[in-house]
Amino acid sequence: QGNISCKDEHNKGQKQYGPNRNINIKKRLLVNIKKTISAVAEIFANNRQNDAHEFLGHYLSQMKENMEKLNTLGKTKIESKEERSPQPFFAGSAAKQALLCPVITNFEFELLCSITCKGCGHTVLKTEVNNYLSINPPQGQQALPFSIQSSLDLFFGTENLEYTCEQCKHKKSHIKYTF
């Protein structure tokens, strides 16, 4: 009667070390991640719903900003060393090179935005720096079968726009994005 079976020991272990413990650890880790992110970006505070797209955009912007600060700090330290150093720095010196920003290197690109007046044909060109394309998946019935190419074609297609022309004051234009 005083003996504890292997099954009892297993059940006791499950309560302390089993899958429920893993779930509780994961919950605490996720709460800590959420608190950490919220401390840096107020948009993620409280229980407001945000999606992965918003998170990625904020994360990439924050990383780019941090890399700019690091490069500025590094440049200041190098300039300070140059002033105190009797040895000349060479132009190809590794210390003089800026750190490459992974956001700019891997994600950033420019889109050309063309706004064309439907009244007189006047076109306004604007360049926009982006680090992602916001492409919506198709909704409902559509003529084209879904593919990445058809989604890109929709994104880069011409859309109607209410925009007052600088030349003729016509209020209808169309907008088109290109690489």
Side-chain angles (χ1 to χ4, degrees):
Q1 300 280 358
N3 294 339
I4 299 175
S5 70
C6 288
K7 185 176 181 182
D8 291 335
E9 282 296 316
H10 175 72
N11 289 338
K12 181 180 171 186
Q14 285 291 344
K15 289 177 185 172
Q16 292 176 344
Y17 305 106
N20 289 338
R21 183 169 188 265
N22 288 338
I23 290 170
N24 289 334
I25 290 171
K26 288 177 184 177
K27 284 181 184 177
R28 283 195 311 248
L29 288 172
L30 288 172
V31 167
N32 286 339
I33 290 170
K34 171 102 168 74
K35 285 180 182 176
T36 302
I37 292 169
S38 297
V40 176
E42 193 175 310
I43 188 174
F44 299 106
N46 302 323
N47 288 326
R48 287 182 260 165
Q49 187 174 356
N50 296 290
D51 59 20
H53 180 261
E54 291 166 327
F55 177 77
L56 176 65
H58 182 78
Y59 179 79
L60 292 173
S61 295
Q62 188 68 44
M63 184 185 287
K64 183 178 175 184
E65 183 180 313
N66 288 344
M67 289 301 298
E68 289 170 355
K69 288 177 183 176
L70 277 173
N71 279 324
T72 301
L73 180 63
K75 183 179 177 184
T76 303
K77 284 185 177 183
I78 290 169
E79 288 171 355
S80 174
K81 283 181 183 178
E82 285 177 347
E83 291 171 5
R84 291 181 281 152
S85 175
Q87 302 167 345
F89 273 76
F90 297 102
S93 169
K96 276 196 156 191
Q97 294 178 359
L99 298 171
L100 294 176
C101 177
V103 175
I104 294 171
T105 305
N106 296 302
F107 294 99
E108 209 165 83
F109 58 91
E110 289 184 352
L111 287 178
L112 179 64
C113 173
S114 305
I115 301 172
T116 305
C117 175
K118 288 184 176 182
C120 69
H122 176 72
T123 300
V124 175
L125 301 174
K126 298 179 182 181
T127 302
E128 298 178 4
V129 176
N130 290 282
N131 51 29
Y132 56 85
L133 293 177
S134 184
I135 297 176
N136 297 320
Q139 303 289 320
Q141 294 288 358
Q142 59 184 34
L144 297 173
F146 173 72
S147 69
I148 293 174
Q149 184 62 54
S150 63
S151 293
L152 287 170
D153 291 344
L154 284 172
F155 180 84
F156 288 108
T158 302
E159 292 183 37
N160 291 325
L161 177 70
E162 285 192 35
Y163 179 85
T164 304
C165 177
E166 298 167 358
Q167 301 288 322
C168 71
K169 305 300 181 208
H170 191 75
K171 296 194 184 302
K172 295 192 180 197
S173 299
H174 58 264
I175 186 169
K176 182 171 179 67
Y177 288 96
T178 56
F179 279 113

